[in-house]
Amino acid sequence: MYNRTRRLRKSLGIRRLVQETKLSTDDFIFPLFIEEGENIESEIPSMPGIKRYSLDTISKELDELIKLNIHAVLLFGIPSEKDDEGTETWNDKGIIQQAIRFIKKNYPTLYVISDVCFCEYTSHGHCGIIHKNDVDNDATLANIAKQVISHARAGVDMVAPSGMMDGTIQVIRKALDNQGFVSLPIMAYSVKYASAFYGPFRDAADSTPTFGDRETYQMNPANRDEGLREAKIDDSEGADILMVKPALSYLDIIRDLRNNFDKPIACYNVSGEYAMVKAAAKKGWIDGEKVMLESLLSMKRAGADIIITYFAKEVAYILNKQS
Ligand code: PBG
């Protein structure tokens, strides 16, 4: 037989040589939940291994990340006070702003990214200002600018707006440039679906909407072409990195973005994807470690340069052992 594809699978030596995709700790961003208060280190039941920390307990987590060669974190704040507009998001002394200052001062090599949204900070749990039972897009934009500038003043390295309001990237870019933050990049949650895979996160971040859902601003999971339209807009408004979220059910979208844009592509391996692997592994129904590695590999194979994942530390343990 002239063509035998099995020749290149015969031994580990050749399989290593022809392997197309590889995972690296350089590609991971680890999400952190930081809660206002003291002495907090609470387990999140639906996300085994992931915890909420206060600033006085978070150092051991950060030390571990450094030791493991994980260089980037994505911050989510859980404030003690919520209100209608989420005004805490632009309080220069707010929990995220404090966290940014703390990490940049004590762990200057960590790359600090802030999630820019309102749902953890509003009493109703929606991602902006409510008007007539829906999120008011343009009123919310003004608050997004205030939030981003406050993060920038605290010293954040990159901002990641996740609220899916139209015009977000343009408003953020303009605000940052006007205030002199011309070199601060934006990672846009460009193609973010209204997904049931966010369930555990909403427990973790106390951000479940008290009424309705997010279907008037997050995308319909049935739509693929619309994903390209969203990404095109963010690209033209000046996003530096384009993100797809969730990851595993949306590998086709990741590939679409890879094929259509010459900017780095990120994906968010979300809480529900993490929880399913953990739960099935605990039952002994799957090999959790192998499924984790295969899932992350498939995201890179689909075209993601960057993976935001709660698995970052576990994978790093494995990758560091291998190298
Ligand atoms: C905030 C936000 C959410 C996630 C990241 N940023 C929740 C949501 O949109 O409801 C989800 C992350 C995850 O599930 O791991 N807008």
Side-chain angles (χ1 to χ4, degrees):
M1 237 181 292
Y2 192 58
N3 280 311
R4 283 185 190 271
T5 48
R6 289 184 58 189
R7 286 185 203 118
L8 299 186
R9 294 179 201 140
K10 198 153 175 59
S11 65
L12 181 58
I14 186 63
R15 287 198 297 272
R16 272 197 185 122
L17 280 172
V18 300
Q19 177 159 337
E20 297 173 31
T21 308
K22 285 183 180 138
L23 294 171
S24 155
T25 50
D26 288 349
D27 306 328
F28 298 128
I29 299 173
F30 187 63
L32 288 175
F33 298 104
I34 303 167
E35 186 171 349
E36 202 158 8
E38 278 164 29
N39 218 2
I40 300 165
E41 186 180 335
S42 45
E43 304 268 354
I44 301 160
S46 50
M47 300 173 74
I50 304 295
K51 291 177 178 172
R52 279 157 65 148
Y53 293 94
S54 47
L55 278 182
D56 57 352
T57 59
I58 203 166
S59 286
K60 66 172 185 194
E61 185 82 320
L62 299 169
D63 289 338
E64 193 185 5
L65 291 171
I66 300 279
K67 207 178 77 204
L68 285 170
N69 268 324
I70 303 286
H71 310 292
V73 290
L74 175 63
L75 305 185
F76 293 96
I78 300 139
S80 46
E81 303 287 336
K82 303 189 186 214
D83 59 26
D84 270 8
E85 286 197 34
T87 56
E88 265 300 294
T89 56
W90 64 86
N91 175 357
D92 284 336
K93 296 200 172 80
I95 180 64
I96 278 294
Q97 290 81 353
Q98 287 179 46
I100 295 167
R101 280 194 205 95
F102 176 84
I103 300 174
K104 287 313 297 182
K105 176 158 178 263
N106 298 294
Y107 300 85
T109 59
L110 268 184
Y111 193 79
V112 176
I113 308 162
S114 61
D115 187 85
V116 173
C117 198
F118 295 94
C119 57
E120 302 114 70
Y121 295 83
T122 49
S123 39
H124 44 74
H126 279 286
C127 304
I129 297 175
I130 297 293
H131 182 63
K132 291 188 181 155
N133 268 327
D134 195 7
V135 178
D136 182 325
N137 193 92
D138 298 7
T140 300
L141 288 179
N143 286 351
I144 290 178
K146 286 190 258 182
Q147 181 180 166
V148 156
I149 292 305
S150 179
H151 292 185
R153 275 202 295 256
V156 80
D157 291 308
M158 180 158 76
V159 291
S162 66
M164 291 298 279
M165 295 301 120
D166 290 328
T168 297
I169 305 305
Q170 191 182 344
V171 161
I172 291 179
R173 190 67 271 155
K174 217 165 149 189
L176 288 172
D177 289 358
N178 282 341
Q179 299 287 321
F181 298 106
V182 293
S183 303
L184 207 154
I186 304 168
M187 176 164 70
Y189 283 72
S190 298
V191 193
K192 178 174 178 182
Y193 289 91
S195 168
F197 285 98
Y198 307 149
F201 174 95
R202 293 181 187 172
D203 294 341
D206 283 342
S207 62
T208 308
T210 52
F211 68 91
D213 51 41
R214 303 208 203 287
E215 289 179 15
T216 66
Y217 43 106
Q218 298 180 349
M219 279 179 53
N220 179 349
N223 294 355
R224 182 172 174 181
D225 297 341
E226 190 186 354
L228 276 180
R229 289 203 290 281
E230 282 282 2
K232 257 182 214 151
I233 294 170
D234 286 358
D235 180 35
S236 70
E237 291 185 8
D240 299 279
I241 298 174
L242 305 170
M243 193 206 298
V244 175
K245 178 182 172 191
L248 214 44
S249 289
Y250 300 89
L251 296 176
D252 53 336
I253 315 298
I254 297 174
R255 173 48 58 178
D256 279 346
L257 262 57
R258 165 84 295 138
N259 288 346
N260 283 281
F261 299 94
D262 58 0
K263 285 181 175 171
I265 307 298
C267 69
Y268 199 141
N269 176 214
V270 300
S271 56
E273 300 171 29
Y274 177 82
M276 288 195 304
V277 176
K278 286 290 171 197
K282 192 165 172 221
K283 283 209 171 257
W285 290 352
I286 58 168
D287 179 332
E289 195 174 295
K290 284 194 173 150
V291 171
M292 164 184 79
L293 289 169
E294 189 176 330
S295 312
L296 294 168
L297 204 58
S298 71
M299 294 164 204
K300 279 205 85 174
R301 193 197 60 231
D305 303 290
I306 299 167
I307 304 175
I308 303 162
T309 180
Y310 304 99
F311 286 122
K313 288 196 297 175
E314 275 172 85
V315 195
Y317 272 111
I318 298 169
L319 294 176
N320 292 333
K321 242 185 334 198
Q322 284 170 355
S323 63

